[in-house]
């Protein structure tokens, strides 16, 4: 293609880009939405790009040249001079000043690291205590996030519900999943967890023991809880023991009871460590 | 005054009271559909059942190796499975999938009536009204999003089964699924989600279906996986551009 | 006329003419694969521009506020200010969604360009002396890219990124001995803590971009100082640079590439939806959604978490958390290997000489084989990150896929690495120009060579005496020999 033709193409690109830019402004003013505005501005930039690339490829002078690389390494003379200059002002040969300065520097550096401890927000409990405690207490009732209290009769067989300790709907580590199974299934020899159940209603910590995601999926037919993050599967009839996936521990069970008004209450705390495993005594 | 108006007045009053009671009962009831008692309908239901359902679900709905029992499943379940074309199943499948509706509406009602005759009392067809959109959004995220995904496109379950997309279901089907808990889905009975909450969830699902994808092509609303595929395509495009404008080794 | 007037005035004030003269005439090696770093840099520039716009609207606080805007399902709801401001930016601010989406697309493209650029540098041996420091700077930039991306998409406090934050918290918790303290210090307490949002914000808009900008400048300066490496060819030696001059063609081309990258970001940002946080919903305790994945540059860690079996051995009476190996040891080992690679290769080849001539992948078959093996490994881990989505759309049970990938991730990389090694050797020894021209005998030559080479420990690379003198040039090339300094 002749130079003149390429020039016309490049000019055409820039003109079209200008038109798109105007279109973009119009689109913005009439609020035509993200597709029109984004599309037009993007098209404008693309046309400018095309014009520039064509221009550089076809119209601008090019060539192959040779140049020497900068001297690869400083000469020995330079290195000697630098070493000698660095040694200027060396006062004592015992290195007393150097060593004490180093000591001061290291101590200061170590000291400065210590205030990182303040990153722990004031009012926050010690990690080991915070991780081993939740807001469940014996006799505490359970509520949904909306605030409704739960009675045993509210759940049919096959129902599932997420609950929190009454008064603590924001407590992430206390999130609990209730499922109701047929009580006869819990009486089978292979089943476990019947001791903490009420009328076939079981309660487990909702936090996956693998990486802490809420285990939200309850499969009614197989009585399994599936975690969406890394596909850990827990068997509800076997005290939420992991049967597949990367979790290494069962979901801790929350024993249940019924209070005198008929509401479901916790009959103790979670039986086991809640949430993902951390480094602690086995 | 003669003596007649008084008894007439009394009868009128009685009729009025009965009428009010009837109206209140009909209006206030959370609406479980009455199974048809029309004998012609029952006959139609029997014919259809023998032809399409009995081979797997048993002559009297008792179930068999190939199909679960239908005793006490409730009108909502029958309506849901038939309306969404999941039943009747042509071949045995792990999990019935949505398909074209195979029976006409009157036939479905006939089958509902016939299956109700097997006994038991499962959830009736729920009524749906307009609900609180904001409350529905919250309830959906708390209860449904983990299986059906926040965008309603569905998600995989353990054994190759899925929680299907809810973007094609109408309001009644959503309500029925919530109450019935078909297949591996848990159910959400009245004690867990009352009528007001059910209305809210159904309203939100409808909104999800209507919601335009403001950002552009939705990529199935799946999330980072589909976005990455497009991102890699974009990167490949840039590499192609760079290859075109750059020099090659001679 | 006008140009001369401008140059005169600039020179009077700044005295830049000598520097400009050298700079504009600077010769540099030119190959299309050398442009990948530029693509990454321009994506970073766009991230800075679009990110600045976003900071004018985004409120990082987790304090509850009532959203009142155009997105109906959220209208009137009490959500965190971070979430509300993001939804507002997406639905109520004109052009806001385009900028937000193009920012996220630019992040994905940036990470991808960095990885492709790293692969180019690796396979051509451009990390060898004297460029080892620059390699370390580049690997650090990769690390910061991942950190910037993660903190960025976790800012809106939506449910999807909150689940990722849960996982990040668990990763910290899983570190032996110091893990619990580390997690609590970073988050300011137990998850979610009150402080993580503002700390991520400061990291994402100030600390990380600032450090990255400084490192990119350093990265570029080191390239300019040592001059870019070049492929061997006609007239090219270890001591010269052969190629075009910077001005005007290459500078204009570079500007074109900048606009091309920005154009792609804007087009994707306007036309393809990404991260619709209004659908994911705000973070709420106890809520979850499926599928849940991080962005792709963390996908290899997430994939490892899905594939690694549920082992939690007892060590010294303590329980070793399951997540430690796939999410701490694996990424830590990866970056350690990346940092140490130039040192390791020097120990293996005993080659301490500076190299300015690049390798073609075939010139160093072992390195090529290892590189292909590594890429396959991480690509398979990345694919594992999407197994639940694959299961959803193919009907294959997810644990069948997990089983296949568990085996595959350990065996397929060895296979592809071996194939790459044999192919590279075959190309090198048969002298074929490209793969399609190589014969079967060439391939067999590559395979057979293996036993001979294993017994040799190379003490010196191939003699380079002939590379010191440039071979005779054909007349039609007519290069101009230029000394460093003022151009005649």
């Amino acid at each position: 293609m002749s130079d003149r033709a390429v020039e016309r193409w490049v000019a055409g690109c820039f003109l079209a880009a200008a038109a798109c830019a105007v279109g973009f402004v119009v689109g913005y003013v009439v609020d035509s939405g993200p597709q029109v505005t984004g599309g037009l501005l993007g098209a404008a930039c693309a046309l400018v790009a095309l014009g520039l690339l064509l221009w550089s490829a076809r119209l601008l002078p090019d060539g192959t040249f040779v140049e020497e690389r900068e001297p690869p390494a400083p000469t020995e003379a330079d290195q000697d001079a630098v070493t000698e200059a660095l040694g200027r002002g060396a006062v004592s040969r015992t290195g007393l000043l150097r060593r004490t300065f180093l000591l001061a520097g290291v101590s200061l550096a170590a000291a400065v690291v210590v205030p990182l401890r303040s990153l722990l927000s004031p009012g926050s409990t010690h990690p080991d205590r915070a991780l081993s405690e939740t807001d469940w207490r014996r006799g505490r009732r359970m509520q949904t996030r909306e605030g409704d209290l739960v009675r045993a009769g509210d759940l049919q067989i096959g129902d599932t519900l997420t609950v929190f300790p009454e008064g603590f709907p924001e407590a992430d580590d206390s999130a609990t999943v209730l499922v109701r199974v047929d009580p006869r299934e819990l009486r089978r020899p292979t089943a476990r967890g019947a001791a903490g159940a009420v009328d076939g209603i079981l309660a487990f910590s909702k936090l996956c023991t693998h990486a802490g995601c809420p285990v939200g999926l309850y499969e009614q037919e197989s009585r399994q809880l599936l975690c969406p993050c890394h596909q850990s599967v827990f068997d509800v009839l076997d005290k939420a023991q992991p049967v597949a996936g990367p979790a290494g521990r069962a979901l801790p069970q929350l024993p249940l009871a019924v209070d005198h008004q008929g509401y479901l209450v916790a009959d103790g705390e979670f039986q086991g460590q809640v949430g993902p495993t951390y480094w602690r005594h086995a | 005054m003669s003596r007649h108006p008084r008894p007439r007045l009394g009868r009128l009053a009685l009729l009025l009271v009965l009428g009010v009671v009837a109206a209140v009962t009909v209006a206030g009831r959370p609406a479980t559909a009455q199974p048809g008692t029309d004998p012609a309908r029952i006959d139609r239901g029997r014919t259809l059942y023998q032809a399409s359902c009995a081979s797997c679900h048993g002559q009297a709905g008792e179930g068999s190796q190939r199909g679960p029992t239908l005793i006490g499943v409730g009108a909502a379940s029958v309506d849901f499975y038939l309306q969404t074309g999941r039943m009747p199943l042509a071949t045995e499948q792990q999990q019935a999938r949505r398909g074209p509706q195979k029976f006409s509406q009157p036939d479905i009602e006939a089958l509902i009536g016939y299956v109700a005759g097997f006994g038991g009392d499962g959830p009736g067809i729920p009524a749906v009204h307009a609900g609180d959109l904001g409350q529905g959004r919250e309830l959906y995220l708390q209860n449904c999003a983990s299986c059906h995904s926040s965008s309603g496109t569905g998600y995989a379950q353990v054994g190759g089964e899925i929680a299907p997309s809810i973007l094609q279901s109408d309001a009644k089907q959503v309500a029925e699924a919530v109450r019935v808990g078909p297949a591996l889905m848990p159910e959400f009975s009245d004690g867990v989600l009352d009528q007001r909450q059910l209305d809210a969830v159904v309203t939100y699902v409808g909104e999800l279906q209507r919601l335009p994808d403001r950002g552009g092509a939705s990529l199935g609303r799946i999330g980072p996986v589909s976005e990455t595929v497009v991102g890699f395509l974009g990167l490949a495009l840039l590499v192609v551009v760079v290859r075109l404008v750059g020099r090659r080794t001679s | 006329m006008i140009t001369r007037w401008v140059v005169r005035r600039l020179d009077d004030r700044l005295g830049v003419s000598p520097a400009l003269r050298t700079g504009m005439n600077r010769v540099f090696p030119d190959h299309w694969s050398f442009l990948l770093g530029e693509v990454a840099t321009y994506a970073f520039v766009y991230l800075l521009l679009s990110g600045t716009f976003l900071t004018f609207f985004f409120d990082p606080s987790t304090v509850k506020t009532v959203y009142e805007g155009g997105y109906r399902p959220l209208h009137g709801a009490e959500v965190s200010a971070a979430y509300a401001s993001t939804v507002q930016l997406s639905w109520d601010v004109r052009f806001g969604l385009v900028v937000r989406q193009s920012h996220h697309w630019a992040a994905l493209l940036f990470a991808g360009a960095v990885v492709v650029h790293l692969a180019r540098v690796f396979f051509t041996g451009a990390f060898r002396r004297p460029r080892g420091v620059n390699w370390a700077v580049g690997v650090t930039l990769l690390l910061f890219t991942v950190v910037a991306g993660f903190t960025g998409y976790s800012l809106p406090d939506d449910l999807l990124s909150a689940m990722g934050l849960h996982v990040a918290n668990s990763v910290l918790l899983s570190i032996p001995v110091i893990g619990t303290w580390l997690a609590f210090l970073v988050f300011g307490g137990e998850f979610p803590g009150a402080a993580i949002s503002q700390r991520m914000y400061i990291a994402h808009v100030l600390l990380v971009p600032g450090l990255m900008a400084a490192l990119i400048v350093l990265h570029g300066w080191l390239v300019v100082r040592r001059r870019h490496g070049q492929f061997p060819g006609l007239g090219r030696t270890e001591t010269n640079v052969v190629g075009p001059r910077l001005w005007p063609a290459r500078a204009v081309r570079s500007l074109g590439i900048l606009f091309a990258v920005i154009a792609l970001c804007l087009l994707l940002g306007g036309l393809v939806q990404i991260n619709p946080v209004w659908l994911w919903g705000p973070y709420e305790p106890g809520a979850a959604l499926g599928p849940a994945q991080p962005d792709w540059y963390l996908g290899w860690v997430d994939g490892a978490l899905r594939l690694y079996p549920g082992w939690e051995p007892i060590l010294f009476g303590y329980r070793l958390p399951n997540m430690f190996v796939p999410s701490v040891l694996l990424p830590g080992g990866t970056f350690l290997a990346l940092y140490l690679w130039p040192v390791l290769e020097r120990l293996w080849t005993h080659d301490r000489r500076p190299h300015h001539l690049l390798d073609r992948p075939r010139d160093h078959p072992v390195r090529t084989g290892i590189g292909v093996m590594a890429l396959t490994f991480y690509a398979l881990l990345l694919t594992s990150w999407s197994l639940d989505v694959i299961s959803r759309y193919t009907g294959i049970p997810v644990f069948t896929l997990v089983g296949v990938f568990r085996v595959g991730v350990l065996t397929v990389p060895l296979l592809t690495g071996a194939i790459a090694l044999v192919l590279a050797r075959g190309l090198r020894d048969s002298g074929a120009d490209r793969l399609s021209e190589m014969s079967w005998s060439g391939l067999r030559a590559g395979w057979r060579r293996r036993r001979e080479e294993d017994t040799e420990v190379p003490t010196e690379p191939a003699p380079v005496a002939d590379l010191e003198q440039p071979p005779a040039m054909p007349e039609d090339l007519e290069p101009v020999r230029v000394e460093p300094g003022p151009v005649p």
Side-chain angles (χ1 to χ4, degrees), chain B:
Chain B
M1 299 269 185
S2 66
R3 261 176 282 148
H4 293 283
R6 212 159 268 180
R8 232 177 280 148
L9 209 63
R11 241 174 283 146
L12 203 62
L14 186 64
L15 273 173
L16 206 63
V17 167
L18 281 175
V20 167
V21 168
V24 164
T25 320
V26 167
R29 199 167 43 180
T32 51
Q34 288 281 36
T37 46
D38 172 20
R41 221 190 220 182
I42 300 283
D43 267 342
R44 177 86 185 124
R46 180 185 299 113
T47 321
L48 291 168
Y49 184 84
Q50 302 292 353
S52 312
C53 323
S55 50
C56 294
H57 288 290
Q59 291 292 325
E62 72 277 13
S64 76
Q65 278 245 318
R66 295 200 304 243
T69 173
L70 295 180
I71 299 174
V73 286
S77 180
V78 180
D79 190 43
F80 175 76
Y81 274 101
L82 293 177
Q83 276 233 324
T84 58
R86 286 181 161 86
M87 290 289 152
L89 270 183
T91 52
E92 222 175 307
Q93 276 171 39
Q94 188 185 28
Q95 181 187 21
R97 300 294 170 102
R98 170 179 277 271
Q101 190 175 315
K102 301 204 180 66
F103 293 118
S104 66
Q105 195 52 38
D107 279 353
I108 291 179
E109 283 169 24
L111 275 167
I112 291 175
Y114 185 70
V115 170
F118 292 152
D121 57 1
I125 298 179
V128 272
H129 324 92
D132 184 332
L133 188 58
Q135 187 193 25
R137 184 190 55 78
E138 283 181 26
L139 287 168
Y140 181 88
L141 286 176
Q142 277 279 317
N143 295 292
C144 324
S146 49
C147 291
H148 288 283
S149 116
S150 276
S151 49
T153 55
Y155 183 53
Q157 305 297 304
V158 177
E161 295 160 330
I162 58 166
S165 162
I166 50 164
L167 298 175
Q168 286 103 39
S169 315
D170 66 30
K172 182 162 72 88
Q173 288 162 7
V174 173
E176 284 169 350
V178 169
R179 286 288 187 239
V180 166
L184 32 72
M185 175 172 168
E187 57 177 78
F188 298 86
S189 57
D190 200 71
V192 170
L193 284 178
D194 62 24
Q195 183 63 35
R196 188 182 47 93
Q197 292 168 320
L198 179 65
D199 290 337
V201 172
V202 170
T203 307
Y204 180 68
V205 172
E207 184 71 16
L208 264 185
Q209 294 169 351
R210 275 189 299 275
L211 205 63
D213 287 305
R214 184 169 162 81
S218 71
L219 307 178
R221 290 188 188 172
I222 297 174
V225 174
S226 47
E227 293 159 7
T228 298
V229 173
V230 171
F232 280 174
L233 287 174
L235 186 66
L237 183 65
L238 283 176
V239 173
V240 164
V241 165
V242 147
R243 182 90 166 36
L244 287 173
V245 304
R247 248 184 211 179
R248 260 153 270 189
T249 44
S250 46

Side-chain angles (χ1 to χ4, degrees), chain A residues 24 27-31 33-50 52-53 55-57 60-74 116-121 124-128 130-133 145 162 164 169-173 175 206-207 209-217 226 228-233 244-249 276-282, chain C residues 25-27 29 94-95 97-98 131 163 166-167 170 173-177 180-181 184-185 188-192 195 199 224-230 238-245 248-250 252-253 255-257 259-260 262-263 266-267 270-271 283-290 292 302 305-306 308-310 312 314-323 356 388 398-399 406 473 478-484:
Chain A
F24 159 72
Y28 176 91
V29 166
V30 304
D31 200 9
Q35 279 76 65
V36 171
T37 48
L40 281 174
L41 194 61
C45 290
L47 287 162
V48 169
L50 185 61
L52 285 170
L53 292 173
W55 191 356
S56 70
L60 292 173
D62 201 1
T64 307
F65 303 89
V66 183
E67 218 171 52
E68 289 302 304
R69 285 182 187 266
E70 269 79 54
L116 283 177
R117 167 71 171 75
S118 304
L119 283 175
L120 192 61
S121 300
S124 182
T125 43
H126 189 279
D128 290 331
L131 288 169
S132 53
E133 282 179 358
R145 244 191 93 73
T162 303
F164 295 87
E170 296 290 328
D172 191 86
D173 63 347
K206 199 167 180 185
L207 292 188
T209 51
H210 176 236
C213 296
V215 181
L217 292 82
L226 170 67
C229 281
H230 309 107
Q231 285 79 60
S232 294
V233 183
R249 282 185 303 118
T277 312
Y278 57 91
W279 182 259
R280 58 186 173 84
H281 263 294
Chain C
N25 287 309
R26 202 176 179 83
V27 173
R94 246 184 243 190
F95 201 56
L97 186 60
V98 177
R131 294 181 179 81
M163 290 170 75
H166 241 309
V167 177
S170 311
L173 282 175
S174 75
I175 300 173
V177 185
T180 51
W181 270 101
F184 271 61
L185 285 177
E190 201 178 4
F191 187 90
R199 289 175 189 177
V224 167
R225 173 110 181 82
R226 279 297 179 205
R227 305 287 203 117
H228 204 283
Q230 60 189 351
E238 287 275 1
T239 52
N240 70 4
V241 183
V242 177
R245 289 211 176 110
R250 292 301 177 263
V252 174
R253 183 183 71 180
L255 196 62
I257 294 177
F259 273 95
I262 293 181
L266 280 169
L267 284 171
L271 301 174
Y283 161 69
E284 277 181 13
L289 63 84
D302 196 74
L305 281 171
R306 288 171 202 245
Y308 191 75
E312 278 194 349
I314 315 281
L315 286 185
F316 320 113
Y318 284 82
R319 206 180 176 98
L320 180 71
N322 174 275
M323 289 183 74
H356 296 288
D388 49 354
V398 70
F399 287 105
R406 268 181 186 160
M473 302 269 237
E478 281 185 37
V480 174
R481 183 162 288 279
V482 180
E483 302 298 319

Side-chain angles (χ1 to χ4, degrees), chain B residues 231-232 235-236 238-240 242, chain C residues 32-37 39-40 108-124 135 142 296 375:
Chain B
F232 280 174
L235 186 66
L238 283 176
V239 173
V240 164
V242 147
Chain C
W32 67 267
S33 65
F34 300 166
L35 295 171
L36 296 168
V39 169
L108 298 187
L109 292 172
F110 178 53
V114 167
V115 170
V116 176
H117 169 67
L118 182 146
R120 195 282 295 167
V121 170
F122 179 84
F123 285 114
T124 54
W135 168 264
L142 175 64
W296 78 269
L375 279 177

Side-chain angles (χ1 to χ4, degrees), chain C residues 10 47 94 108 124-125 259 266 273 300 344 386 438 444:
Chain C
L10 268 178
L47 283 169
R94 246 184 243 190
L108 298 187
T124 54
F259 273 95
L266 280 169
Q273 186 164 271
W300 52 289
L344 294 173
S386 64
M438 196 169 64
R444 252 180 282 128

Side-chain angles (χ1 to χ4, degrees), chain C residues 49-377:
Chain C
L49 291 172
S50 51
T52 307
F53 179 93
L54 295 176
T55 56
F56 295 151
F57 297 90
F58 178 70
D59 180 353
S61 159
T62 47
V63 169
K64 293 275 190 245
T65 170
V66 177
Y67 170 77
E68 273 167 1
Y71 182 60
R72 288 203 316 129
L74 197 66
H75 189 91
E78 209 184 62
V79 290
S80 65
Y83 188 72
S85 61
T86 309
V87 177
Q88 196 146 56
L89 179 65
S90 306
W91 281 80
D92 306 309
V93 174
R94 246 184 243 190
F95 201 56
L97 186 60
V98 177
V99 179
R100 208 195 119 227
Q101 294 197 151
S102 62
H103 187 79
H104 200 142
W105 283 117
L108 298 187
L109 292 172
F110 178 53
V114 167
V115 170
V116 176
H117 169 67
L118 182 146
R120 195 282 295 167
V121 170
F122 179 84
F123 285 114
T124 54
F127 50 81
R128 294 174 296 175
R129 261 205 191 129
R131 294 181 179 81
V133 171
N134 215 10
W135 168 264
V137 172
V139 174
T140 312
L141 278 170
L142 175 64
L143 186 59
F144 281 149
T145 305
V146 172
V147 172
F150 177 75
T151 49
Y153 72 74
S154 304
L155 284 177
D157 195 32
D158 59 289
L159 187 53
L160 180 62
S161 63
M163 290 170 75
L165 218 51
H166 241 309
V167 177
N169 181 258
S170 311
V171 169
L172 290 174
L173 282 175
S174 75
I175 300 173
V177 185
I178 56 169
T180 51
W181 270 101
L182 205 55
F184 271 61
L185 285 177
V186 169
F187 279 78
E190 201 178 4
F191 187 90
I196 192 64
S197 214
Q198 70 200 70
R199 289 175 189 177
M200 281 197 304
Y201 183 67
I202 280 299
H204 183 78
V205 310
L206 179 68
L207 298 174
V208 175
L211 285 167
M212 284 181 79
L215 284 176
I216 290 177
V217 167
L218 176 64
H219 201 64
W221 179 75
L222 284 170
V223 171
V224 167
R225 173 110 181 82
R226 279 297 179 205
R227 305 287 203 117
H228 204 283
Q230 60 189 351
F231 285 112
L234 211 50
R236 291 152 197 216
T237 70
E238 287 275 1
T239 52
N240 70 4
V241 183
V242 177
R245 289 211 176 110
L246 177 61
W247 186 267
R250 292 301 177 263
V252 174
R253 183 183 71 180
S254 205
L255 196 62
I257 294 177
L258 169 65
F259 273 95
V261 170
I262 293 181
L264 184 64
C265 295
L266 280 169
L267 284 171
L268 285 173
L271 301 174
V272 188
Q273 186 164 271
I274 184 171
N275 204 26
V277 292
W278 56 90
L279 286 179
W280 307 147
Y283 161 69
E284 277 181 13
L289 63 84
Q293 271 98 359
D295 273 1
W296 78 269
Y297 39 82
L298 281 167
W300 52 289
V301 181
D302 196 74
L305 281 171
R306 288 171 202 245
L307 295 182
Y308 191 75
W311 296 327
E312 278 194 349
I314 315 281
L315 286 185
F316 320 113
Y318 284 82
R319 206 180 176 98
L320 180 71
N322 174 275
M323 289 183 74
F324 179 65
V325 170
S327 63
V328 179
L329 277 190
L330 173 70
T334 302
F335 276 93
L336 194 65
L338 277 173
Y339 274 115
L340 289 181
W341 181 261
V343 175
L344 294 173
E345 191 177 284
R346 251 203 318 273
L347 287 174
W348 168 265
T349 61
H350 300 283
D351 182 9
R352 286 186 183 77
R353 306 163 78 248
H355 288 272
H356 296 288
L357 285 175
L358 299 173
D359 286 334
R360 294 176 80 182
R362 69 187 65 180
D363 292 329
H364 205 144
V366 173
R367 181 206 297 145
T368 303
I370 292 178
V372 169
M373 182 175 79
L375 279 177
T376 314
F377 177 67

